[in-house]
Amino acid sequence: MLFDTHAHYYDEAFDADRDQLLSALPEKGVGLVVCPGCDLESSRQSIALAERYPYLYAAVGIHPENLEGVTKADLDELRTLAGCPKVKAIGEIGLDHYWVKTQESRANAKDFFDAQLSLSEELNLPAIVHDRDAHRDCLDIVRAHPKARGVFHCFAASGQDAKVLVDLGWMLSFTGNITFLNARRAPEILSWLPIEHIMIETDAPYMTPEPFRGRRNDSGYVYRVAEAIAQIKGMDPEEVAHITTENGKRFFSL
């Protein structure tokens, strides 16, 4: 069975067939899924979905693109939501210098990333980190939280950054983009990255792997990520599926 550690099933892309799709996942070889929130509302929706399916779990957090108008009261609400039994992480949190452009907005994003990492430490929950074009700033904040543990999802930083995170005990998660024909950096990193630090994901409905690129993504395609990693590392796909599932279960305390 496979573990899709990052899929956004509250997204409107699934409105037409959400229940049918989620109910069918075990038949597709998917045994576990984590659905991370991107703001308070999607965090609540993630919890509601997780409470309906025994193999679905939730994370709660506020994405760096969704910080406008966010206050300390929202952080307190996250703390309350994190108390739900099926919440297993704080996320999706982090920094996004691609979409967040102004210095004021980036400073606010850094402050709230720092605050949410502090919350993950306080609650002893792992963090799911979004890092887009903000590698140095993300690592600086992570280093300032030595008691935090987490994963950089859809990992896209350098090999040197990957080594820093491995040394800190963090996980790296990979999605369908490692199957793209122009993928270069991630395969190079995966060739040496210890398998104990790897998790797999879809980031559904985004990042659909080849040869299905262009379609809506869902957890039924996560096997392609396992196959790509197996090819890069010279392993059996079933072995990669087993190890990454065990990594995810250990990481999320399942």
Side-chain angles (χ1 to χ4, degrees):
M1 299 295 280
L2 293 150
F3 188 169
D4 182 358
T5 60
H6 197 111
H8 300 280
Y9 279 115
Y10 48 79
D11 191 278
E12 63 182 9
F14 299 107
D15 284 353
D17 61 348
R18 183 178 291 107
D19 291 335
Q20 179 183 357
L21 190 157
L22 290 173
S23 297
L25 288 182
E27 301 170 11
K28 297 180 178 180
V30 180
L32 292 166
V33 180
V34 169
C35 182
C38 287
D39 54 24
L40 289 179
E41 180 56 28
S42 58
S43 294
R44 295 187 191 100
Q45 291 172 327
S46 295
I47 293 170
L49 286 170
E51 289 175 341
R52 293 177 58 187
Y53 298 92
Y55 42 85
L56 184 64
Y57 292 86
V60 298
I62 302 179
H63 190 284
E65 292 179 50
N66 299 328
L67 292 174
E68 185 176 355
V70 169
T71 67
K72 183 180 182 299
D74 296 303
L75 193 65
D76 292 336
E77 178 64 15
L78 279 181
R79 182 181 288 104
T80 300
L81 291 174
C84 297
K86 295 213 73 177
V87 172
K88 297 299 179 180
I90 301 298
E92 179 177 350
I93 65 176
L95 300 175
D96 192 314
H97 289 354
Y98 181 84
W99 291 111
V100 180
K101 297 293 190 183
T102 70
Q103 290 303 312
E104 181 181 4
S105 296
R106 288 183 178 182
N108 182 56
K110 291 177 188 177
D111 288 344
F112 213 81
F113 180 27
D114 182 81
Q116 290 188 98
L117 265 187
S118 293
L119 182 63
S120 76
E121 289 177 304
E122 172 192 335
L123 300 177
N124 193 29
L125 289 171
I128 300 172
V129 173
H130 170 101
D131 167 19
R132 187 170 186 185
D133 295 350
H135 312 317
R136 181 182 297 274
D137 288 337
C138 275
L139 281 178
D140 285 346
I141 293 172
V142 164
R143 285 191 184 100
H145 291 269
K147 294 182 180 179
R149 56 194 177 92
V151 57
F152 273 56
H153 104 93
C154 194
F155 186 76
S158 69
Q160 185 57 45
D161 292 337
K163 291 175 181 176
V164 170
L165 289 167
V166 168
D167 288 343
L168 292 172
W170 279 52
M171 303 290 286
L172 310 183
S173 183
F174 297 86
T175 186
N177 60 355
I178 68 171
T179 70
F180 297 170
L181 294 177
N182 62 350
R184 294 290 183 271
R185 181 181 291 175
E188 291 176 1
I189 292 170
L190 281 162
S191 67
W192 60 261
L193 184 65
I195 190 72
E196 296 80 12
H197 286 270
I198 297 173
M199 297 195 299
I200 61 175
E201 59 169 289
T202 56
D203 199 17
Y206 315 107
M207 296 290 183
T208 311
E210 296 287 3
F212 309 105
R213 194 174 181 184
R215 303 182 189 178
R216 180 192 69 178
N217 202 7
D218 68 61
S219 300
Y221 295 131
V222 75
Y223 76 93
R224 285 290 299 122
V225 183
E227 288 179 343
I229 292 172
Q231 183 175 10
I232 291 165
K233 297 187 78 64
M235 298 173 64
D236 185 273
E238 290 188 2
E239 184 181 11
V240 171
H242 172 73
I243 293 173
T244 56
T245 293
E246 291 303 309
N247 290 347
K249 288 166 66 176
R250 184 171 58 253
F251 178 79
F252 292 107
S253 299
L254 301 180

